[in-house]
PDB file of all heavy atoms in Angstrom:
ATOM      1  N   ILE A 124     -10.129  -8.812  -6.161  1.00  0.00           N
ATOM      2  CA  ILE A 124     -10.324 -10.260  -6.372  1.00  0.00           C
ATOM      3  C   ILE A 124      -9.448 -11.086  -5.433  1.00  0.00           C
ATOM      4  O   ILE A 124      -9.660 -12.250  -5.235  1.00  0.00           O
ATOM      5  CB  ILE A 124     -10.012 -10.567  -7.885  1.00  0.00           C
ATOM      6  CG1 ILE A 124     -10.554 -11.991  -8.198  1.00  0.00           C
ATOM      7  CG2 ILE A 124      -8.565 -10.474  -8.208  1.00  0.00           C
ATOM      8  CD1 ILE A 124     -10.475 -12.341  -9.711  1.00  0.00           C
ATOM      9  N   LEU A 125      -8.408 -10.438  -4.884  1.00  0.00           N
ATOM     10  CA  LEU A 125      -7.489 -11.164  -3.953  1.00  0.00           C
ATOM     11  C   LEU A 125      -7.615 -10.803  -2.510  1.00  0.00           C
ATOM     12  O   LEU A 125      -7.175 -11.546  -1.640  1.00  0.00           O
ATOM     13  CB  LEU A 125      -6.063 -10.858  -4.406  1.00  0.00           C
ATOM     14  CG  LEU A 125      -5.552 -11.473  -5.777  1.00  0.00           C
ATOM     15  CD1 LEU A 125      -4.128 -11.020  -6.032  1.00  0.00           C
ATOM     16  CD2 LEU A 125      -5.616 -12.986  -5.728  1.00  0.00           C
ATOM     17  N   TYR A 158     -12.425  -4.300 -14.130  1.00  0.00           N
ATOM     18  CA  TYR A 158     -12.074  -5.713 -14.503  1.00  0.00           C
ATOM     19  C   TYR A 158     -12.675  -6.024 -15.879  1.00  0.00           C
ATOM     20  O   TYR A 158     -12.003  -6.692 -16.724  1.00  0.00           O
ATOM     21  CB  TYR A 158     -12.683  -6.658 -13.435  1.00  0.00           C
ATOM     22  CG  TYR A 158     -11.878  -6.733 -12.153  1.00  0.00           C
ATOM     23  CD1 TYR A 158     -12.465  -7.343 -11.033  1.00  0.00           C
ATOM     24  CD2 TYR A 158     -10.607  -6.193 -12.047  1.00  0.00           C
ATOM     25  CE1 TYR A 158     -11.793  -7.400  -9.824  1.00  0.00           C
ATOM     26  CE2 TYR A 158      -9.930  -6.320 -10.858  1.00  0.00           C
ATOM     27  CZ  TYR A 158     -10.522  -6.905  -9.733  1.00  0.00           C
ATOM     28  OH  TYR A 158      -9.828  -6.991  -8.536  1.00  0.00           O
ATOM     29  N   PHE A 161     -10.746  -4.334 -18.602  1.00  0.00           N
ATOM     30  CA  PHE A 161      -9.420  -4.935 -18.755  1.00  0.00           C
ATOM     31  C   PHE A 161      -9.474  -6.229 -19.539  1.00  0.00           C
ATOM     32  O   PHE A 161      -8.747  -6.420 -20.518  1.00  0.00           O
ATOM     33  CB  PHE A 161      -8.823  -5.172 -17.352  1.00  0.00           C
ATOM     34  CG  PHE A 161      -7.587  -6.058 -17.392  1.00  0.00           C
ATOM     35  CD1 PHE A 161      -6.373  -5.529 -17.797  1.00  0.00           C
ATOM     36  CD2 PHE A 161      -7.640  -7.387 -16.960  1.00  0.00           C
ATOM     37  CE1 PHE A 161      -5.232  -6.313 -17.824  1.00  0.00           C
ATOM     38  CE2 PHE A 161      -6.493  -8.185 -16.970  1.00  0.00           C
ATOM     39  CZ  PHE A 161      -5.304  -7.644 -17.359  1.00  0.00           C
ATOM     40  N   LEU A 162     -10.401  -7.113 -19.185  1.00  0.00           N
ATOM     41  CA  LEU A 162     -10.538  -8.411 -19.858  1.00  0.00           C
ATOM     42  C   LEU A 162     -10.946  -8.236 -21.294  1.00  0.00           C
ATOM     43  O   LEU A 162     -10.471  -8.929 -22.252  1.00  0.00           O
ATOM     44  CB  LEU A 162     -11.534  -9.313 -19.168  1.00  0.00           C
ATOM     45  CG  LEU A 162     -11.095  -9.773 -17.765  1.00  0.00           C
ATOM     46  CD1 LEU A 162     -12.213 -10.501 -17.026  1.00  0.00           C
ATOM     47  CD2 LEU A 162      -9.864 -10.661 -17.854  1.00  0.00           C
ATOM     48  N   VAL A 165      -7.888  -7.056 -23.293  1.00  0.00           N
ATOM     49  CA  VAL A 165      -6.926  -8.168 -23.455  1.00  0.00           C
ATOM     50  C   VAL A 165      -7.401  -8.976 -24.614  1.00  0.00           C
ATOM     51  O   VAL A 165      -6.609  -9.381 -25.513  1.00  0.00           O
ATOM     52  CB  VAL A 165      -6.794  -9.014 -22.156  1.00  0.00           C
ATOM     53  CG1 VAL A 165      -6.053 -10.317 -22.489  1.00  0.00           C
ATOM     54  CG2 VAL A 165      -6.050  -8.234 -21.126  1.00  0.00           C
ATOM     55  N   ILE A 176       1.207  -7.013 -20.579  1.00  0.00           N
ATOM     56  CA  ILE A 176       0.503  -6.228 -19.536  1.00  0.00           C
ATOM     57  C   ILE A 176       1.546  -5.791 -18.480  1.00  0.00           C
ATOM     58  O   ILE A 176       2.165  -6.595 -17.837  1.00  0.00           O
ATOM     59  CB  ILE A 176      -0.611  -7.059 -18.847  1.00  0.00           C
ATOM     60  CG1 ILE A 176      -1.583  -7.611 -19.918  1.00  0.00           C
ATOM     61  CG2 ILE A 176      -1.263  -6.298 -17.739  1.00  0.00           C
ATOM     62  CD1 ILE A 176      -2.399  -8.794 -19.450  1.00  0.00           C
ATOM     63  N   SER A 177       1.735  -4.454 -18.382  1.00  0.00           N
ATOM     64  CA  SER A 177       2.695  -3.936 -17.432  1.00  0.00           C
ATOM     65  C   SER A 177       1.976  -3.792 -16.092  1.00  0.00           C
ATOM     66  O   SER A 177       1.004  -3.055 -15.972  1.00  0.00           O
ATOM     67  CB  SER A 177       3.179  -2.567 -17.906  1.00  0.00           C
ATOM     68  OG  SER A 177       3.982  -1.998 -16.905  1.00  0.00           O
ATOM     69  N   ALA A 178       2.537  -4.446 -15.066  1.00  0.00           N
ATOM     70  CA  ALA A 178       1.944  -4.411 -13.712  1.00  0.00           C
ATOM     71  C   ALA A 178       3.072  -4.567 -12.746  1.00  0.00           C
ATOM     72  O   ALA A 178       4.016  -5.352 -12.940  1.00  0.00           O
ATOM     73  CB  ALA A 178       0.893  -5.517 -13.554  1.00  0.00           C
ATOM     74  N   TYR A 179       2.947  -3.822 -11.610  1.00  0.00           N
ATOM     75  CA  TYR A 179       4.049  -3.929 -10.595  1.00  0.00           C
ATOM     76  C   TYR A 179       4.170  -5.386 -10.135  1.00  0.00           C
ATOM     77  O   TYR A 179       3.141  -6.045  -9.852  1.00  0.00           O
ATOM     78  CB  TYR A 179       3.675  -3.029  -9.388  1.00  0.00           C
ATOM     79  CG  TYR A 179       4.821  -2.766  -8.431  1.00  0.00           C
ATOM     80  CD1 TYR A 179       5.844  -1.898  -8.810  1.00  0.00           C
ATOM     81  CD2 TYR A 179       4.917  -3.450  -7.283  1.00  0.00           C
ATOM     82  CE1 TYR A 179       6.912  -1.698  -7.989  1.00  0.00           C
ATOM     83  CE2 TYR A 179       5.986  -3.232  -6.425  1.00  0.00           C
ATOM     84  CZ  TYR A 179       6.987  -2.405  -6.794  1.00  0.00           C
ATOM     85  OH  TYR A 179       8.104  -2.170  -5.949  1.00  0.00           O
ATOM     86  N   GLY A 182       1.851  -7.367  -6.107  1.00  0.00           N
ATOM     87  CA  GLY A 182       0.562  -6.759  -5.894  1.00  0.00           C
ATOM     88  C   GLY A 182      -0.316  -6.721  -7.148  1.00  0.00           C
ATOM     89  O   GLY A 182      -1.109  -7.652  -7.390  1.00  0.00           O
ATOM     90  N   LYS A 183      -0.135  -5.779  -7.993  1.00  0.00           N
ATOM     91  CA  LYS A 183      -0.952  -5.667  -9.198  1.00  0.00           C
ATOM     92  C   LYS A 183      -0.763  -6.864 -10.126  1.00  0.00           C
ATOM     93  O   LYS A 183      -1.725  -7.321 -10.707  1.00  0.00           O
ATOM     94  CB  LYS A 183      -0.587  -4.364  -9.910  1.00  0.00           C
ATOM     95  CG  LYS A 183      -1.729  -3.805 -10.787  1.00  0.00           C
ATOM     96  CD  LYS A 183      -2.779  -3.102 -10.019  1.00  0.00           C
ATOM     97  CE  LYS A 183      -2.250  -1.938  -9.240  1.00  0.00           C
ATOM     98  NZ  LYS A 183      -1.754  -0.824 -10.046  1.00  0.00           N
ATOM     99  N   ALA A 184       0.440  -7.377 -10.250  1.00  0.00           N
ATOM    100  CA  ALA A 184       0.710  -8.493 -11.099  1.00  0.00           C
ATOM    101  C   ALA A 184      -0.070  -9.733 -10.643  1.00  0.00           C
ATOM    102  O   ALA A 184      -0.538 -10.507 -11.508  1.00  0.00           O
ATOM    103  CB  ALA A 184       2.214  -8.819 -11.172  1.00  0.00           C
ATOM    104  N   GLN A 185      -0.194  -9.932  -9.333  1.00  0.00           N
ATOM    105  CA  GLN A 185      -0.935 -11.106  -8.858  1.00  0.00           C
ATOM    106  C   GLN A 185      -2.438 -10.968  -9.124  1.00  0.00           C
ATOM    107  O   GLN A 185      -3.139 -11.893  -9.449  1.00  0.00           O
ATOM    108  CB  GLN A 185      -0.688 -11.351  -7.325  1.00  0.00           C
ATOM    109  CG  GLN A 185       0.664 -11.915  -7.009  1.00  0.00           C
ATOM    110  CD  GLN A 185       1.778 -10.898  -7.146  1.00  0.00           C
ATOM    111  OE1 GLN A 185       1.755  -9.869  -6.533  1.00  0.00           O
ATOM    112  NE2 GLN A 185       2.747 -11.204  -7.999  1.00  0.00           N
ATOM    113  N   GLU A 186      -2.922  -9.709  -9.031  1.00  0.00           N
ATOM    114  CA  GLU A 186      -4.341  -9.448  -9.276  1.00  0.00           C
ATOM    115  C   GLU A 186      -4.602  -9.714 -10.780  1.00  0.00           C
ATOM    116  O   GLU A 186      -5.600 -10.351 -11.124  1.00  0.00           O
ATOM    117  CB  GLU A 186      -4.666  -8.008  -8.952  1.00  0.00           C
ATOM    118  CG  GLU A 186      -6.169  -7.665  -9.038  1.00  0.00           C
ATOM    119  CD  GLU A 186      -6.475  -6.260  -8.525  1.00  0.00           C
ATOM    120  OE1 GLU A 186      -5.538  -5.505  -8.141  1.00  0.00           O
ATOM    121  OE2 GLU A 186      -7.646  -5.917  -8.477  1.00  0.00           O
ATOM    122  N   VAL A 187      -3.754  -9.250 -11.630  1.00  0.00           N
ATOM    123  CA  VAL A 187      -3.878  -9.506 -13.075  1.00  0.00           C
ATOM    124  C   VAL A 187      -3.845 -11.015 -13.368  1.00  0.00           C
ATOM    125  O   VAL A 187      -4.625 -11.521 -14.156  1.00  0.00           O
ATOM    126  CB  VAL A 187      -2.783  -8.727 -13.849  1.00  0.00           C
ATOM    127  CG1 VAL A 187      -2.712  -9.207 -15.268  1.00  0.00           C
ATOM    128  CG2 VAL A 187      -3.117  -7.234 -13.831  1.00  0.00           C
ATOM    129  N   ALA A 188      -2.853 -11.703 -12.794  1.00  0.00           N
ATOM    130  CA  ALA A 188      -2.713 -13.098 -13.017  1.00  0.00           C
ATOM    131  C   ALA A 188      -3.933 -13.906 -12.583  1.00  0.00           C
ATOM    132  O   ALA A 188      -4.387 -14.817 -13.238  1.00  0.00           O
ATOM    133  CB  ALA A 188      -1.494 -13.650 -12.302  1.00  0.00           C
ATOM    134  N   LYS A 189      -4.513 -13.441 -11.428  1.00  0.00           N
ATOM    135  CA  LYS A 189      -5.766 -14.149 -10.942  1.00  0.00           C
ATOM    136  C   LYS A 189      -6.890 -13.888 -11.916  1.00  0.00           C
ATOM    137  O   LYS A 189      -7.691 -14.789 -12.183  1.00  0.00           O
ATOM    138  CB  LYS A 189      -6.092 -13.550  -9.574  1.00  0.00           C
ATOM    139  CG  LYS A 189      -7.321 -14.219  -8.884  1.00  0.00           C
ATOM    140  CD  LYS A 189      -7.010 -15.613  -8.437  1.00  0.00           C
ATOM    141  CE  LYS A 189      -8.137 -16.180  -7.594  1.00  0.00           C
ATOM    142  NZ  LYS A 189      -7.878 -17.570  -7.123  1.00  0.00           N
ATOM    143  N   LEU A 190      -7.021 -12.675 -12.491  1.00  0.00           N
ATOM    144  CA  LEU A 190      -8.076 -12.403 -13.388  1.00  0.00           C
ATOM    145  C   LEU A 190      -7.941 -13.182 -14.697  1.00  0.00           C
ATOM    146  O   LEU A 190      -8.971 -13.614 -15.240  1.00  0.00           O
ATOM    147  CB  LEU A 190      -8.044 -10.880 -13.757  1.00  0.00           C
ATOM    148  CG  LEU A 190      -8.648  -9.905 -12.771  1.00  0.00           C
ATOM    149  CD1 LEU A 190      -8.270  -8.466 -13.140  1.00  0.00           C
ATOM    150  CD2 LEU A 190     -10.160 -10.048 -12.761  1.00  0.00           C
ATOM    151  N   LEU A 191      -6.702 -13.423 -15.133  1.00  0.00           N
ATOM    152  CA  LEU A 191      -6.483 -14.071 -16.433  1.00  0.00           C
ATOM    153  C   LEU A 191      -6.370 -15.602 -16.340  1.00  0.00           C
ATOM    154  O   LEU A 191      -6.454 -16.302 -17.327  1.00  0.00           O
ATOM    155  CB  LEU A 191      -5.280 -13.491 -17.107  1.00  0.00           C
ATOM    156  CG  LEU A 191      -5.299 -12.021 -17.492  1.00  0.00           C
ATOM    157  CD1 LEU A 191      -3.966 -11.557 -17.941  1.00  0.00           C
ATOM    158  CD2 LEU A 191      -6.368 -11.842 -18.626  1.00  0.00           C
ATOM    159  N   GLY A 192      -6.088 -16.112 -15.129  1.00  0.00           N
ATOM    160  CA  GLY A 192      -5.948 -17.524 -14.949  1.00  0.00           C
ATOM    161  C   GLY A 192      -4.756 -18.070 -15.722  1.00  0.00           C
ATOM    162  O   GLY A 192      -3.699 -17.418 -15.766  1.00  0.00           O
ATOM    163  N   ALA A 195      -2.272 -16.246 -18.965  1.00  0.00           N
ATOM    164  CA  ALA A 195      -1.081 -15.307 -18.955  1.00  0.00           C
ATOM    165  C   ALA A 195       0.139 -15.951 -18.482  1.00  0.00           C
ATOM    166  O   ALA A 195       0.212 -16.526 -17.397  1.00  0.00           O
ATOM    167  CB  ALA A 195      -1.418 -14.098 -18.112  1.00  0.00           C
ATOM    168  N   GLY A 196       1.222 -15.819 -19.272  1.00  0.00           N
ATOM    169  CA  GLY A 196       2.528 -16.078 -18.781  1.00  0.00           C
ATOM    170  C   GLY A 196       3.108 -14.922 -18.018  1.00  0.00           C
ATOM    171  O   GLY A 196       2.401 -13.896 -17.859  1.00  0.00           O
ATOM    172  N   ASN A 205       4.662 -14.499  -7.970  1.00  0.00           N
ATOM    173  CA  ASN A 205       3.525 -15.365  -8.084  1.00  0.00           C
ATOM    174  C   ASN A 205       3.699 -16.659  -7.332  1.00  0.00           C
ATOM    175  O   ASN A 205       2.864 -17.162  -6.578  1.00  0.00           O
ATOM    176  CB  ASN A 205       3.191 -15.618  -9.533  1.00  0.00           C
ATOM    177  CG  ASN A 205       2.584 -14.454 -10.295  1.00  0.00           C
ATOM    178  OD1 ASN A 205       2.317 -13.379  -9.702  1.00  0.00           O
ATOM    179  ND2 ASN A 205       2.406 -14.602 -11.575  1.00  0.00           N
ATOM    180  N   ILE A 210       0.198 -17.910  -6.380  1.00  0.00           N
ATOM    181  CA  ILE A 210      -0.637 -17.505  -7.546  1.00  0.00           C
ATOM    182  C   ILE A 210      -0.083 -18.212  -8.794  1.00  0.00           C
ATOM    183  O   ILE A 210       1.079 -18.010  -9.177  1.00  0.00           O
ATOM    184  CB  ILE A 210      -0.609 -15.996  -7.774  1.00  0.00           C
ATOM    185  CG1 ILE A 210      -1.107 -15.276  -6.555  1.00  0.00           C
ATOM    186  CG2 ILE A 210      -1.446 -15.593  -9.007  1.00  0.00           C
ATOM    187  CD1 ILE A 210      -2.578 -15.571  -6.183  1.00  0.00           C
ATOM    188  N   VAL A 218      -0.173 -13.969 -24.033  1.00  0.00           N
ATOM    189  CA  VAL A 218      -0.341 -12.852 -23.075  1.00  0.00           C
ATOM    190  C   VAL A 218       0.721 -13.034 -22.008  1.00  0.00           C
ATOM    191  O   VAL A 218       0.917 -14.096 -21.423  1.00  0.00           O
ATOM    192  CB  VAL A 218      -1.705 -12.951 -22.440  1.00  0.00           C
ATOM    193  CG1 VAL A 218      -1.910 -11.787 -21.403  1.00  0.00           C
ATOM    194  CG2 VAL A 218      -2.812 -12.945 -23.453  1.00  0.00           C
ATOM    195  N   ILE A 219       1.481 -11.921 -21.724  1.00  0.00           N
ATOM    196  CA  ILE A 219       2.519 -12.019 -20.715  1.00  0.00           C
ATOM    197  C   ILE A 219       2.459 -10.814 -19.806  1.00  0.00           C
ATOM    198  O   ILE A 219       2.191  -9.668 -20.266  1.00  0.00           O
ATOM    199  CB  ILE A 219       3.954 -12.096 -21.443  1.00  0.00           C
ATOM    200  CG1 ILE A 219       5.026 -12.275 -20.378  1.00  0.00           C
ATOM    201  CG2 ILE A 219       4.183 -10.908 -22.295  1.00  0.00           C
ATOM    202  CD1 ILE A 219       6.351 -12.651 -20.951  1.00  0.00           C
ATOM    203  N   VAL A 220       2.621 -11.012 -18.511  1.00  0.00           N
ATOM    204  CA  VAL A 220       2.641  -9.932 -17.528  1.00  0.00           C
ATOM    205  C   VAL A 220       4.087  -9.543 -17.302  1.00  0.00           C
ATOM    206  O   VAL A 220       4.968 -10.422 -16.995  1.00  0.00           O
ATOM    207  CB  VAL A 220       1.966 -10.350 -16.210  1.00  0.00           C
ATOM    208  CG1 VAL A 220       1.919  -9.189 -15.207  1.00  0.00           C
ATOM    209  CG2 VAL A 220       0.577 -10.895 -16.441  1.00  0.00           C
ATOM    210  N   VAL A 236      -1.464  -1.039 -16.268  1.00  0.00           N
ATOM    211  CA  VAL A 236      -2.483  -0.928 -15.209  1.00  0.00           C
ATOM    212  C   VAL A 236      -1.937  -0.091 -14.098  1.00  0.00           C
ATOM    213  O   VAL A 236      -0.922  -0.347 -13.475  1.00  0.00           O
ATOM    214  CB  VAL A 236      -2.952  -2.299 -14.681  1.00  0.00           C
ATOM    215  CG1 VAL A 236      -3.739  -3.063 -15.730  1.00  0.00           C
ATOM    216  CG2 VAL A 236      -1.765  -3.191 -14.218  1.00  0.00           C
ATOM    217  N   LEU A 259      -6.640   0.799 -12.821  1.00  0.00           N
ATOM    218  CA  LEU A 259      -6.782  -0.180 -11.795  1.00  0.00           C
ATOM    219  C   LEU A 259      -5.803   0.118 -10.677  1.00  0.00           C
ATOM    220  O   LEU A 259      -4.609   0.127 -10.863  1.00  0.00           O
ATOM    221  CB  LEU A 259      -6.563  -1.603 -12.331  1.00  0.00           C
ATOM    222  CG  LEU A 259      -6.660  -2.759 -11.330  1.00  0.00           C
ATOM    223  CD1 LEU A 259      -8.118  -2.836 -10.789  1.00  0.00           C
ATOM    224  CD2 LEU A 259      -6.258  -4.053 -12.025  1.00  0.00           C
TER     225      LEU A 259
END
Side-chain angles (χ1 to χ4, degrees):
I124 195 172
L125 291 177
Y158 284 164
F161 170 74
L162 294 172
V165 170
I176 303 160
S177 174
Y179 194 76
K183 205 77 63 64
Q185 286 73 58
E186 188 173 3
V187 166
K189 184 73 172 178
L190 281 168
L191 294 172
N205 286 356
I210 302 295
V218 179
I219 184 168
V220 183
V236 291
L259 180 64

